[in-house]
Amino acid sequence: MRKFGRRHFLKAVGGVSALAAFGATVAFEGPRRRGPVRVALIGAGAQGEVLCNSLDPFVAQLAAVCDIRPSTKATAEQQQGVKWYQDWRQMLNDGSIEAVMIATPLCTHAEIAAGCLDAGKHVFCETGIAQDAAGCERLIAAAQRSGRILHIGYQHYYEPLYWAAFNNIMRQNLLGDVFAIEACCPTSHSERVPVNPDDAGFDPRPWGYASLDQLMNWRLYRRYSAGPMGEWGGRVISLINWFLGGPPTAVQATGGIYTYKDDRDVNDHVFVTLEYPYSRTTTLSLIPSNGFVQPYMQIMGKKGTLILSEGESLLFMEDQDNSTQLSTAPVGGTQSIMDASASRRAEGANHSTLAQGAVAGQAGNTAAFQNEIVAFCGSIRAGAPLRGSLSDARNVTLGCLAIDKAIERQTRVMTQLHAKMDRHALFDQDERQTAYARS
Amino acid sequence: MPCSIKTKDKLPMREVNGDGAMPNRAPSRREVFSRWHTCRPSAPPREDWIRISHSAMACTFDAIVSPECEPGIGAAQEYLRSVDRLESILSVFRAESEVSMLNRSAAEHPVWVGPELFALLQCCERLHRETDGAFDVTSGALTRCWGFENRSPALPSPEALKAARGSSGFRHVTLHPDGAVSFRSAGLRINFGSIGKGYALDQGAATMRARGVTTALLSAANSSAFALGSGPGGAGWRVGLRHPVFKNQRFATLLLRSCALGTSGQEEQGFEIDGQRYGHILDPRSGFPARGVLSATVLAGSAAQSDALATAFFVGGMPLAERYCAAHPGIVAVMLLEDDLSRPIVVGSSNHVEVNLGNI
């Protein structure tokens, strides 16, 4: 799967268990108070697998898996203590389950999330919040009604490098006035996945999917998804909104189905210009390219430029000849942060470490998912605040809808979102969550 | 540089304000743990901090800061900028640097240098004296004669070596009270290769502290480091020492709190002729590559001092390390000798350092 900030995720998860990442000492001590949060996964596809692999047994325990595909049953039940349900509604009766993680097609988010909230479950819902504005409002209302936590999974809030870019660079105004951001999220293949042979006899039509192929490739059909802009571009827009302190005021866009004429009805080319308050303009490109082009974002200020990329993140300052490289460094645990040796020249790997060294390079995305789930569980247990509010998530969805409209009408579209913007309330939490934390 | 032991970093507790306003940051794993569990885990949990890297002085300078420390990256930028500035003063590879100008002219007439360079030369003179000449920044002619300066090492002719030895030595340098420097030997060359990085780290640590960063790890070339504060979880900065021969093993692990580290070894630079290896660290007293020690690591209050002493102990061996550490409490040396590759020796002790020997 190819997502902004997630390219190597599965590979990374294969290499380091959550237990190892946490430190064995910690895990063996076990919880003393209310224990790990019992969670159910709804939607055991690729994204669901990512979430499951990011569960830390110390903070969250998988209790159930819900998926309409019977092929997922055996895999789920292989794990001790995990029940399988074809219909997520059956899972709601299990009172021991405190929270759900939803990784289903977007078209089902509003219904499932609202149902779970009403049943008293806390909800971690993968991006985005819903397919349309009404769905967003319905879900937010359900969260407010239920008194439970609804968190929309935008992992970049929990990616240490992005957090540092926001907290230590943008918020400290290191780049000076930022007037332009360029973001590029290229695709190198069609995104179409084959049907799992184990599902061959399964008829998904009673569940609302026209065919098994459409179920597996739901992102390529408007009926189930928000297209590439909603699914992948939304993450980038969420990041830009975060850095610039609010949603765009207007958008212009072009796009179409130009490369992959394979029955899909969502655009495979999209190029967007987003206008933000205070004369700031950003561009976002989702255009098929090649595997060498890494997704990147270039934030250009009057005093410096920050390039955030999966390959290498760089900071260029006006008053410095050489660039500065930014990366994550795993600290804590029992691992050495560096292994000192005789002086090495610049071309040598300065920060290599022994033995666990391979882990160092894997920190990024794995950490983001793990951190986010820890924060979600921390919010359930201790009322800890979460990054990214429901209104932020709604603004992303509404921004993506405006982009669709701009492409369709070939015109500049005002988002009408700026009225809600507050530059200084970057983490304006939803009232419901605040009330929950108070209680 | 004076240094003190920090108490364990205080954990930021839940920050729900009286009016119910939410803080703008999510808790770290450590914070979540502290609320959930009655006893704290024995090792701090893994977290991802931010590494800021920059090329200067022919190596990589790093700073590792917490993403929760708001001034962290800005302070690191300022530190790296100061490294660039120091390079323009201290590098012998830049014709216009202050030290290059000094090397060109100080034998002809006294040269007035800036206060930073003068203070560094005073520091070098003191360390030279204290280490019985094992540390000597004036052996640039020897380094050049062996070809290490331009990275094309070769065995020098006896005549060339004799000439280079004759024009090396701090005894040829006069530091005048008014800030001027003069050489009594025409071929004398000052080269700060064994102390410049450490000096830059000390300046960087001061910059970081002044900007409000309480804990960070600054390092250069993988051989010099300044551990500012007590590291993640207050447990100290865990730094391994890589074995110079069995390079995929470490022979010791150190926990550093508010102190600096310098390591000297020859495994990265040197050459071989007829099965005989010649390393790049020269004994200024004999003019030949130092022998007997495989790795010398020194922990001290300042990175300039730990860098210089690591070189000195590499050259002077165990006798110098033992004598120096006995006379200077708080200095710790971890030595690995050619005689016994598997038995590192710790000399001295300090409250700022814990040393665990073995491949941990």
Side-chain angles (χ1 to χ4, degrees):
Chain A
M1 60 183 296
R2 187 206 59 79
K3 294 250 179 78
F4 189 77
R6 296 183 175 186
R7 184 177 291 257
H8 304 300
F9 182 77
L10 288 173
K11 193 173 143 197
V13 170
V16 53
S17 72
L19 188 70
F22 238 80
T25 322
V26 174
F28 289 133
E29 282 192 1
R32 292 285 188 275
R33 230 171 282 167
R34 292 174 59 189
V37 175
R38 282 173 59 82
V39 297
L41 173 71
I42 306 178
Q47 191 62 29
E49 191 184 334
V50 168
L51 290 175
C52 268
N53 287 335
S54 304
L55 285 183
D56 194 305
F58 197 63
V59 297
Q61 179 192 352
L62 187 67
V65 171
C66 311
D67 197 300
I68 58 173
R69 293 169 302 151
S71 64
T72 58
K73 183 177 186 207
T75 319
E77 290 182 344
Q78 272 171 9
Q79 302 171 69
Q80 199 179 2
V82 176
K83 287 184 186 164
W84 178 82
Y85 301 94
Q86 189 170 31
D87 189 340
W88 59 273
R89 294 173 191 83
Q90 294 163 345
M91 175 272 301
L92 297 181
N93 298 324
D94 185 342
S96 75
I97 292 174
E98 300 165 84
V100 298
M101 299 188 301
I102 300 174
T104 56
L106 180 65
C107 59
T108 64
H109 282 189
E111 184 197 357
I112 297 178
C116 292
L117 287 165
D118 286 341
K121 315 287 186 202
H122 300 286
V123 174
F124 179 115
C125 182
E126 263 301 328
T127 170
I129 186 167
Q131 255 181 320
D132 52 24
C136 293
E137 300 306 332
R138 196 163 68 243
L139 199 43
I140 292 171
Q144 290 173 339
R145 192 169 60 234
S146 70
R148 292 293 180 266
I149 293 167
L150 169 61
H151 177 67
I152 307 299
Y154 283 108
Q155 279 77 36
H156 53 255
Y157 289 114
Y158 291 92
E159 163 62 53
L161 202 55
Y162 293 161
W163 172 247
F166 172 74
N167 194 36
N168 301 3
I169 295 178
M170 299 301 289
R171 222 154 52 164
Q172 306 302 316
N173 201 29
L174 281 195
L175 302 180
D177 289 333
V178 172
F179 291 113
I181 295 179
E182 283 177 16
C184 180
C185 195
T187 57
S188 58
H189 55 88
S190 75
E191 307 293 345
R192 185 172 283 284
V193 296
V195 169
N196 182 350
D198 294 345
D199 290 321
F202 173 59
D203 179 8
R205 282 176 298 182
W207 302 93
Y209 299 93
S211 68
L212 202 49
D213 177 67
Q214 289 203 5
L215 169 61
M216 297 305 294
N217 293 292
W218 59 270
R219 287 191 178 88
L220 307 182
Y221 300 93
R222 170 64 65 190
R223 184 177 161 190
Y224 317 112
S225 76
M229 186 45 69
E231 298 300 327
W232 298 308
R235 294 175 190 277
V236 186
I237 292 173
S238 170
L239 190 54
I240 297 172
N241 289 356
W242 185 35
F243 284 169
L244 295 185
T249 52
V251 298
Q252 297 176 74
T254 60
I257 306 172
Y258 301 138
T259 305
Y260 301 113
K261 298 182 189 295
D262 60 355
D263 177 48
R264 73 181 63 195
D265 61 9
V266 299
N267 296 328
D268 57 9
H269 284 233
V270 182
F271 186 86
V272 188
T273 306
L274 302 115
E275 296 168 38
Y276 285 80
Y278 308 102
S279 315
R280 293 172 296 181
T281 306
T282 76
T283 59
L284 167 59
S285 152
L286 282 95
I287 296 177
S289 173
N290 56 69
F292 291 99
V293 183
Q294 299 270 0
Y296 72 88
M297 176 181 288
Q298 183 163 308
I299 305 165
M300 291 165 282
K302 291 292 284 177
K303 291 196 286 190
T305 292
L306 172 65
I307 299 177
L308 291 170
S309 147
E310 291 185 21
E312 191 177 38
S313 293
L314 296 167
L315 183 57
F316 296 86
M317 299 302 290
E318 277 276 285
D319 56 355
Q320 238 173 340
D321 290 339
N322 299 334
S323 65
T324 301
Q325 190 181 341
L326 302 175
S327 56
T328 50
V331 300
T334 53
Q335 186 186 347
S336 296
I337 189 70
M338 72 178 262
D339 280 302
S341 64
S343 296
R344 290 182 167 193
R345 285 193 253 160
E347 60 265 35
N350 184 35
H351 43 78
S352 62
T353 51
L354 298 171
Q356 310 99 320
V359 177
Q362 297 173 352
N365 294 334
T366 313
F369 282 95
Q370 289 182 348
N371 291 346
E372 186 170 33
I373 292 172
V374 167
F376 174 66
C377 294
S379 188
I380 292 170
R381 282 284 178 270
L386 288 160
R387 293 175 188 162
S389 68
L390 294 180
S391 52
D392 291 336
R394 175 181 52 199
N395 286 346
V396 173
T397 296
L398 298 183
C400 291
L401 291 170
I403 291 168
D404 287 345
K405 199 186 283 182
I407 295 173
E408 192 184 315
R409 297 184 185 172
Q410 295 286 296
T411 181
R412 179 167 174 261
V413 171
M414 303 301 291
T415 62
Q416 310 296 329
L417 292 172
H418 58 285
K420 294 174 185 171
M421 177 182 161
D422 177 358
R423 266 196 105 180
H424 304 289
L426 299 179
F427 288 88
D428 174 28
Q429 294 289 311
D430 204 75
E431 281 182 15
R432 185 67 264 162
Q433 290 195 12
T434 308
Y436 180 80
R438 274 196 210 124
S439 71
Chain B
M1 177 181 291
C3 54
S4 59
I5 304 176
K6 259 178 62 64
T7 52
K8 196 175 269 189
D9 286 354
K10 192 180 171 191
L11 291 179
M13 297 308 289
R14 189 174 164 188
E15 297 172 9
V16 179
N17 302 329
D19 58 0
M22 301 299 288
N24 56 11
R25 54 178 287 270
S28 67
R29 288 184 171 198
R30 202 184 320 141
E31 292 166 76
V32 172
F33 279 133
S34 65
R35 289 183 214 137
W36 284 14
H37 304 293
T38 49
C39 49
R40 297 280 304 280
S42 55
R46 285 272 306 277
E47 288 178 21
D48 283 297
W49 284 28
I50 304 301
R51 182 191 303 275
I52 301 107
S53 313
H54 182 73
S55 292
M57 299 190 185
C59 67
T60 304
F61 276 77
D62 269 359
I64 294 174
V65 296
S66 165
E68 304 300 343
C69 174
E70 291 183 356
I73 293 180
Q77 278 294 122
E78 200 174 319
Y79 136 62
L80 294 170
R81 218 174 279 136
S82 79
V83 173
D84 284 344
R85 190 181 56 78
L86 283 173
E87 185 178 14
S88 70
I89 297 173
L90 304 180
S91 174
V92 293
F93 298 101
R94 295 191 178 186
E96 74 285 6
S97 75
E98 221 178 331
V99 77
S100 290
M101 282 160 50
L102 186 67
N103 283 340
R104 276 197 301 272
S105 314
E108 294 163 15
H109 53 78
V111 176
W112 277 263
V113 297
E116 267 176 322
L117 179 54
F118 195 79
L120 180 59
L121 281 167
Q122 284 177 314
C123 173
C124 291
E125 186 188 30
R126 178 176 56 81
L127 287 163
H128 175 77
R129 204 172 50 243
E130 289 174 355
T131 59
D132 307 329
F135 171 74
D136 196 341
V137 290
T138 66
S139 50
L142 279 173
T143 311
R144 180 180 283 186
C145 161
W146 280 86
F148 288 115
E149 190 177 292
N150 56 7
R151 311 231 187 252
S152 53
L155 209 56
S157 68
E159 298 76 32
L161 191 59
K162 191 179 173 194
R165 280 187 66 191
S167 55
S168 298
F170 225 106
R171 65 185 185 282
H172 298 305
V173 178
T174 307
L175 302 180
H176 300 275
D178 60 353
V181 181
S182 59
F183 299 165
R184 283 192 291 272
S185 167
L188 191 134
R189 291 280 175 277
I190 284 180
N191 185 332
F192 290 114
S194 52
I195 195 171
K197 289 188 282 290
Y199 183 68
L201 290 179
D202 286 338
Q203 305 286 308
T207 303
M208 301 286 279
R209 264 196 219 103
R211 290 283 302 263
V213 178
T214 53
T215 191
L217 185 75
L218 313 184
S219 66
N222 215 45
S223 62
S224 309
F226 197 110
L228 190 61
S230 305
W237 289 98
R238 188 177 289 269
V239 174
L241 299 183
R242 186 187 295 261
H243 200 290
V245 178
F246 310 113
K247 291 189 178 180
N248 59 349
Q249 287 184 31
R250 60 177 71 95
F251 63 89
T253 303
L254 316 170
L255 271 179
L256 310 179
R257 295 183 192 87
S258 302
C259 76
L261 167 149
T263 291
S264 274
Q266 314 214 88
E267 69 268 22
E268 296 287 333
Q269 297 179 59
F271 65 102
E272 234 177 77
I273 294 177
D274 299 332
Q276 169 74 47
R277 183 170 167 77
Y278 298 91
H280 77 291
I281 302 175
L282 303 171
D283 185 338
R285 299 162 300 190
S286 69
F288 274 86
R291 299 294 305 270
V293 178
L294 280 178
S295 169
T297 297
V298 175
L299 296 318
S302 96
Q305 191 183 12
S306 56
D307 259 13
L309 291 179
T311 305
F313 294 177
F314 192 95
V315 168
M318 282 299 290
L320 175 62
E322 284 172 340
R323 199 165 61 244
Y324 192 95
C325 292
H328 298 83
I331 306 286
V332 177
V334 185
M335 310 283 287
L336 192 66
L337 308 181
E338 279 181 353
D339 298 346
D340 193 345
L341 299 184
S342 60
R343 197 171 61 89
I345 302 165
V346 182
V347 187
S349 67
S350 164
N351 292 333
H352 299 265
V353 186
E354 279 175 39
V355 183
N356 295 297
L357 299 179
N359 186 17
I360 302 163

